[in-house]
């Protein structure tokens, strides 16, 4: 990414406020299953508040990275602090169907973890649907979780962030 292997044609950069239309186009290329696995619900088009949350970043308590193929966003990864200026954040990843299972999510989690550490975050949490086997695999192979708690349809992972 950004000219490096294994994705030399892809660009990674922080999400920008003017990315709202790119985010909406990304949703048009997502399967209902991908939307459900990321948001735990289905919707025919991304609600305005979802697009706003994904693009309105303060780069302190809420940060996100976008992966672009040409001018189109093909993946997003974000963290949101649990409490303002706190050391704990929730992480989430969304990868366009055509780019899934190619290591892009893993690369994004690593980059985002480094970005979180630079912002003083020491703990990352991930909430994954129990039947989302690809995300559960990612959560247990990108780093060793400190804890894994299954509660009904959800699995909660907690990771220490290397400083």
């Amino acid at each position: 990414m950004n000219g490096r292997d294994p994705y030399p044609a892809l660009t990674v950069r922080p999400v920008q406020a003017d990315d709202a239309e790119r985010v909406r186009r990304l949703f048009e290329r997502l399967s209902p299953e991908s939307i459900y696995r990321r948001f735990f619900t289905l919707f025919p088009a991304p609600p305005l508040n979802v697009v706003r949350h994904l693009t309105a970043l303060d780069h302190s308590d809420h940060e996100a990275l976008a992966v672009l193929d040409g001018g189109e966003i093909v993946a997003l990864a974000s963290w949101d602090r649990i409490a303002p200026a706190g050391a704990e954040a929730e992480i989430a990843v969304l990868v366009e169907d055509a780019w899934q299972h190619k290591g892009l999510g893993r690369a994004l989690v690593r980059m985002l973890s480094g970005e979180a550490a630079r912002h003083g975050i020491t703990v990352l949490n991930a909430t994954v649907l129990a039947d989302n086997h690809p995300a559960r695999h990612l959560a247990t192979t990108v780093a060793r979780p400190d804890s894994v708690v299954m509660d009904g349809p959800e699995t909660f992972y907690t990771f220490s962030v290397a400083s």
Side-chain angles (χ1 to χ4, degrees):
M1 288 184 272
N2 291 351
R4 297 186 302 262
D5 289 333
Y7 308 105
L10 299 180
T11 301
V12 179
R13 62 162 172 75
V15 170
Q16 300 168 353
D18 66 352
D19 280 331
E21 185 56 35
R22 287 180 189 90
V23 169
R24 284 204 323 246
R25 288 194 303 264
L26 167 63
F27 273 80
E28 292 173 0
R29 297 187 305 273
L30 294 172
S31 67
E33 180 179 41
S34 290
I35 292 170
Y36 183 76
R37 285 179 166 178
R38 166 58 180 86
F39 297 98
F40 299 11
T41 190
L42 290 172
F43 34 78
L48 183 58
N49 65 331
V50 170
V51 174
R52 190 175 301 126
H53 178 75
L54 292 171
T55 58
L57 310 173
D58 63 11
H59 307 288
S60 174
D61 290 332
H62 179 48
E63 182 63 270
L65 297 175
V67 178
L68 288 93
D69 182 13
E72 292 299 321
I73 293 176
V74 297
L76 295 167
S78 63
W79 54 257
D80 289 281
R81 287 188 203 262
I82 305 299
E88 192 171 348
E90 179 81 15
I91 189 171
V93 178
L94 179 64
V95 178
E96 181 180 322
D97 292 54
W99 284 95
Q100 292 177 11
H101 310 293
K102 297 180 181 185
L104 189 55
R106 180 180 323 283
L108 268 174
V109 168
R110 288 187 175 133
M111 283 184 269
L112 199 63
S113 296
E115 190 64 26
R118 284 187 288 281
H119 282 82
I121 293 172
T122 59
V123 175
L124 285 173
N125 300 310
T127 304
V128 177
L129 288 170
D131 66 352
N132 186 347
H133 301 291
R136 291 181 61 202
H137 178 75
L138 174 63
T140 57
T141 59
V142 77
R144 175 179 226 123
D146 296 326
S147 71
V148 178
V149 176
M150 295 185 80
D151 184 13
E154 297 175 343
T155 305
F156 303 92
Y157 297 90
T158 302
F159 302 91
S160 295
V161 177
S163 53

